[in-house]
């Protein structure tokens, strides 16, 4: 499969205006990339293990473990990007239950530390290992799902460790709106803390935030008209590009139990059910003001339950093709 055009960022302190791109069709599905960038020359020469790139640290998402990212690490190795995956097991996530004894949990004002110190320490270990590989150079951090906003906490409260790129994959980066009926902050205030206390996203030569969202399925409301337009503004310009015939790609009129179930999950994250997302995180929540924001059609949230052909996730080889150029020097 031919690689898509490389997107070369403009050397500005803020992301350039969005531009529409049509990418080539994989064998089973069409991906669309909508992002704040301009097209650059052909990137067919990017995949080369003979070129040494800056190392990348991969941060697992909630409920995931290190092994879930083994295939992604191998794919990146093919581009000359060495990786270190933070050492996390599924049972480790039970440590978060310590937050239940914190009164701030019940008030909705929970802070990442000390509840998530165990995770941040694992990140620090992985970063230190990657620094040895970088030989004094810079690092990239790839944060999947919760790993994206946890990377921001790490960069704020531990060290920036000469990090030149934070690339997030399906990360819920914005706190849910307050005061909406039926919406409960699943993070119990953690994302509020991140928004108020972590540095804003930037896109500069020294540090670049690249936030990637998936458009795998559109949710729908349990009741009412799901055809009414969303009132949530997206951070990027939307392209009118066909996704192709795919049973997982649904229109607003295709409301089913599945879309209603997915929509209720979206509602807890962004306050509205009838929006597009990767099946877990709404598109609008995975973008940040000030970052280079990208949306990819047909991309599922998690490596667990994914399939490279019928249900690709952010780390599937055909999808990695769409964003790997951001990791390359």
């Amino acid at each position: 499969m031919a690689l898509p055009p490389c997107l070369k960022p403009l050397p500005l302190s803020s992301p350039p205006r969005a531009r529409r791109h049509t990418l080539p069709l994989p064998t089973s599905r069409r991906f669309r990339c909508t992002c704040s960038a301009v097209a650059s020359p052909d990137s067919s020469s990017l995949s080369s293990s003979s070129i040494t790139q800056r190392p990348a640290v991969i941060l697992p998402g909630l409920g995931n473990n290190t092994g879930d990212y083994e295939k992604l690490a191998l794919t990146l190795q093919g581009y000359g990007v060495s990786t270190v995956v933070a050492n996390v097991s599924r049972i480790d996530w039970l440590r978060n239950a310590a937050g239940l004894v914190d009164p701030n949990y019940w008030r909705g004002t929970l802070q990442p530390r000390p509840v998530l110190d165990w995770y941040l320490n694992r990140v620090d270990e992985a970063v230190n290992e990657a620094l040895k590989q970088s030989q004094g150079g810079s690092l990239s951090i790839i944060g999947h799902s919760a790993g994206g906003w946890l990377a921001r906490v790490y960069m704020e409260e531990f060290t920036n460790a000469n990090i030149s790129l934070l690339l997030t994959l399906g990360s819920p980066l914005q706190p849910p709106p307050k005061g909406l009926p039926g919406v409960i902050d699943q993070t119990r205030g953690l994302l509020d803390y991140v928004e108020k206390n972590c540095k804003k996203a930037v896109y500069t030569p020294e540090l670049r935030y690249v936030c990637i969202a998936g458009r795998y399925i559109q949710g729908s409301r349990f009741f009412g008209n799901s055809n009414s337009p969303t009132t949530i503004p997206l951070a990027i310009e939307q392209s009118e590009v066909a996704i192709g015939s795919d049973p997982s790609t649904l229109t607003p009129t295709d409301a089913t139990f599945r879309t209603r179930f997915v929509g209720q999950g979206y509602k807890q994250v962004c306050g509205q059910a009838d929006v597009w997302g990767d099946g877990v995180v709404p598109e609008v929540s995975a973008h940040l003001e000030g970052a280079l924001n990208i949306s990819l059609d047909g991309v599922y949230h998690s490596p667990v339950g994914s399939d490279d052909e019928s249900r690709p996730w952010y780390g599937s080889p055909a999808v990695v093709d769409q964003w790997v150029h951001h990791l390359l020097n």
Side-chain angles (χ1 to χ4, degrees), residues 33 41 60 62 66 79 94 106-107 151 157-158 161 190 200 216 239 241 269 294 303 328:
C33 173
L62 179 66
T66 303
Y79 292 91
L94 295 177
W106 305 103
R107 299 189 193 108
E157 302 197 8
F158 274 62
L190 290 173
K200 302 300 181 184
Y216 178 73
S239 297
V241 181
V269 181
I294 299 171
L328 307 181

Side-chain angles (χ1 to χ4, degrees), residues 152-271:
R152 298 184 68 193
V153 176
Y154 175 80
M155 292 167 64
E156 185 70 30
E157 302 197 8
F158 274 62
T159 177
N160 59 17
N162 199 17
I163 295 166
S164 60
L165 170 70
L166 172 58
L167 187 144
T168 63
L169 303 173
S171 297
L173 298 170
Q174 302 183 38
K178 292 179 171 57
L180 291 182
V183 176
I184 300 174
D185 182 2
Q186 305 296 307
T187 71
R188 306 310 299 146
L190 290 173
L191 284 176
D192 273 320
Y193 178 91
V194 172
E195 183 179 57
K196 294 174 182 176
N197 294 279
C198 292
K199 292 182 179 65
K200 302 300 181 184
V202 295
Y203 195 78
T204 66
E206 296 76 26
L207 175 61
R208 299 180 180 186
Y209 280 64
V210 177
C211 302
I212 301 177
R215 286 169 55 91
Y216 178 73
I217 184 172
Q218 182 178 20
S220 57
R221 306 175 189 177
F222 261 118
F223 306 102
N225 181 13
S226 291
N227 291 318
S228 59
T230 177
T231 58
I232 300 178
L234 291 179
I236 58 173
E237 178 183 305
Q238 294 300 305
S239 297
E240 298 299 329
V241 181
I243 303 171
S245 57
D246 188 312
S248 66
T249 303
L250 304 173
T251 64
T253 57
D254 293 324
T256 63
F257 175 79
R258 181 189 180 201
T259 63
R260 291 184 174 97
F261 180 82
V262 169
Q264 289 309 297
Y266 289 165
K267 183 177 179 180
Q268 301 307 310
V269 181
C270 72

